Amino acid sequence: MVQQTATKAPAKKPVGTGSVFLSFAPWIIFGVVASPSTWEYAALAALVASLLLAAQDLLHGRIRVLDVTGIVFFAVLAVLALALSRDELLWVETYAQVISNGLVAVVALGSLLADPFTAQYARESTPRQYWDSPVFKHINMVLTAVWGLAFALMTLFTWLAIRFPDQDDWFNWVVPIALLVGAVRFTQWYPDRYKASRTAAAEG
């Protein structure tokens, strides 16, 4: 009976897909707006979005690793835009999207060593008694790894867009959007699928 209860935990929707995706909003805003001539405005817009998200979290007594990373990263970009000349910032203009995607990948995959970042969202809809369960931990390890891999691939493809500008639409837009949609779909699908497989194994 205990095993079956643990298998069914956490609750029906252990990860708030909308909340996870919303936390990526500043990075998505930056990716959409940033270009060689607009990255400064993209950084400012992303910084504002990061601050708004963090303020909402602070009102609920929490702060998330992606929110903190976004505030620091986009604040640094905004300061650089004010402090340095355009010639000195040529490398930022060229690699801004690559750097931002790579940073998210590092943060997501790095969180696997401590607290998978998706667990911060899953705890919002999961009773506390399940937070340390093997099922909860496994699901969030997998989901965090998938998001980290998605942004690692986006880093690669945005770099390829610089190397092969004639394929810019594919490398900067089509593939990254497909990766984001795939990560969202997987986040929606995998928890119930994994719990169902655990339940079937326990009952078998």
Side-chain angles (χ1 to χ4, degrees):
M1 182 68 177
V2 174
Q3 184 179 8
Q4 290 183 349
T5 301
T7 301
K8 293 179 181 179
K12 185 176 180 181
K13 292 185 178 180
V15 178
T17 308
S19 296
V20 174
F21 190 74
L22 183 62
S23 194
F24 286 117
W27 305 92
I28 294 171
I29 290 171
F30 184 76
V32 169
V33 179
S35 71
S37 60
T38 63
W39 70 268
E40 302 100 321
Y41 305 107
L44 182 59
L47 176 59
V48 171
S50 296
L51 289 170
L52 290 175
L53 287 174
Q56 185 179 31
D57 287 339
L58 287 173
L59 289 176
H60 292 86
R62 59 178 181 254
I63 189 68
R64 300 188 176 109
V65 63
L66 278 181
D67 293 341
V68 173
T69 303
I71 291 171
V72 173
F73 177 71
F74 296 122
V76 168
L77 286 185
V79 170
L80 288 177
L82 293 173
L84 300 179
S85 68
R86 188 177 184 87
D87 290 339
E88 293 173 308
L89 291 172
L90 182 60
W91 65 274
V92 179
E93 291 189 1
T94 303
Y95 293 103
Q97 288 178 305
V98 177
I99 295 170
S100 65
N101 288 331
L103 182 58
V104 174
V106 169
V107 170
L109 295 175
S111 73
L112 292 171
L113 300 176
D115 183 29
F117 86 89
T118 59
Q120 297 178 334
Y121 304 92
R123 294 187 185 108
E124 296 177 9
S125 56
T126 303
R128 179 178 289 273
Q129 65 264 33
Y130 298 132
W131 290 1
D132 294 322
S133 71
V135 172
F136 182 89
K137 291 180 177 180
H138 174 85
I139 288 173
N140 284 286
M141 289 286 286
V142 171
L143 295 182
T144 296
V146 167
W147 279 101
L149 177 61
F151 272 88
L153 290 173
M154 288 168 62
T155 304
L156 171 62
F157 281 104
T158 48
W159 177 78
L160 288 174
I162 298 170
R163 300 284 295 180
F164 304 99
D166 56 321
Q167 298 295 323
D168 177 81
D169 287 343
W170 280 97
F171 293 150
N172 252 345
W173 296 99
V174 176
V175 175
I177 289 173
L179 288 168
L180 286 174
V181 171
V184 170
R185 296 287 189 183
F186 187 84
T187 301
Q188 294 172 331
W189 169 83
Y190 182 75
D192 288 337
R193 175 68 176 179
Y194 179 72
K195 288 185 292 178
S197 67
R198 288 283 300 248
T199 300
E203 292 175 350

